[in-house]
Amino acid sequence: MIILIGGSSHTGKTNLSQKLLEKYKYPYISIDHIKMGLIRSGMTDVSVEDDDRLTELLWPIVREMIKTMIENDQNGIIEGCYIPYDWKDSFDEEYLEDIEGLYLVMTPEYINNHFEQIREYGSVIENRGDDEYCVKDELLRDNVQCLEMCKEYGCKYVLIDGEYDIEKIMSNIVI
């Protein structure tokens, strides 16, 4: 089983991946690590801020990694904000039966009521260092857009509103 976890920045994708690793012992891959490897090695001139170009660059690599994992009967979790909403179009039916996708989406109310907590927990799994780039207006915009795209493409998503309950979020993953 391959589990894809998508969503905007700061929605808890890496935290969810870590919790799933602990529960199911499935290794996880952060697409951010692939991104930074390509950027730091000089293999691309795409900047860390160019999300559309990064998705175009990274998704073909990730897609083929997923196919290889399935062909080798391996389980895994792949998380990141570079999973396109039309990801299902990248796979034949034989692969799709082994892939579970889930997007994490925060409501505007949640963001407005918990913005400082969102920033505080930004480094709960990975060290983000200076998190100045986490700006409320961008977080609001990105999550609204994520929800719209999930609805447009029929993607499975969890709406985070009220309290951030990782166990409740995990219950949306069918293994």
Side-chain angles (χ1 to χ4, degrees):
M1 173 63 66
I2 304 300
I3 302 167
L4 301 178
I5 302 172
S8 302
S9 180
H10 287 76
T11 55
K13 298 178 299 295
T14 307
N15 185 34
L16 176 58
S17 298
Q18 180 67 36
K19 297 298 182 190
L20 291 169
L21 175 145
E22 292 167 5
K23 182 173 182 175
Y24 297 109
K25 309 302 184 226
Y26 287 11
Y28 75 85
I29 298 168
S30 171
I31 300 174
D32 278 344
H33 294 165
I34 300 169
K35 168 187 79 176
M36 293 311 297
L38 290 168
I39 290 172
R40 288 181 170 177
S41 69
M43 306 250 338
T44 183
D45 64 348
V46 178
S47 78
V48 294
E49 290 89 21
D50 196 346
D51 288 344
D52 290 339
R53 283 188 61 208
L54 282 164
T55 300
E56 291 172 16
L57 174 69
L58 295 166
W59 182 244
I61 297 166
V62 172
R63 176 193 66 219
E64 297 307 316
M65 290 170 59
I66 292 167
K67 288 178 182 177
T68 302
M69 292 167 74
I70 292 171
E71 291 162 358
N72 287 305
D73 293 321
Q74 295 173 302
N75 299 314
I77 303 160
I78 299 179
E79 64 91 2
C81 54
Y82 305 107
I83 299 171
Y85 297 97
D86 64 349
W87 65 266
K88 290 178 187 176
D89 295 343
S90 299
F91 301 99
D92 292 334
E93 195 61 40
E94 66 189 77
Y95 292 105
L96 286 173
E97 59 193 38
D98 292 316
I99 304 171
E100 172 84 12
L102 182 69
Y103 287 82
L104 304 182
V105 184
M106 294 177 173
T107 66
E109 294 78 20
Y110 182 84
I111 295 168
N112 284 320
N113 293 330
H114 298 92
F115 182 69
E116 289 308 317
Q117 287 176 301
I118 293 167
R119 286 191 65 179
E120 282 177 34
Y121 286 98
S123 294
V124 71
I125 300 297
E126 60 188 350
N127 181 7
R128 292 181 184 264
D130 182 5
D131 206 10
E132 284 184 21
Y133 73 92
C134 180
V135 178
K136 186 191 286 189
D137 289 342
E138 290 180 18
L139 205 57
L140 288 163
R141 180 199 66 221
D142 292 348
N143 278 269
V144 166
Q145 180 183 21
C146 182
L147 180 58
E148 289 172 358
M149 298 301 281
C150 283
K151 289 178 178 179
E152 181 177 333
Y153 286 95
C155 299
K156 184 176 176 181
Y157 63 90
V158 173
L159 206 53
I160 301 165
D161 193 22
E163 188 171 330
Y164 195 102
D165 184 345
I166 194 71
E167 293 299 322
K168 183 178 175 185
I169 293 170
M170 286 176 61
S171 72
N172 287 275
I173 306 283
V174 179
I175 294 183

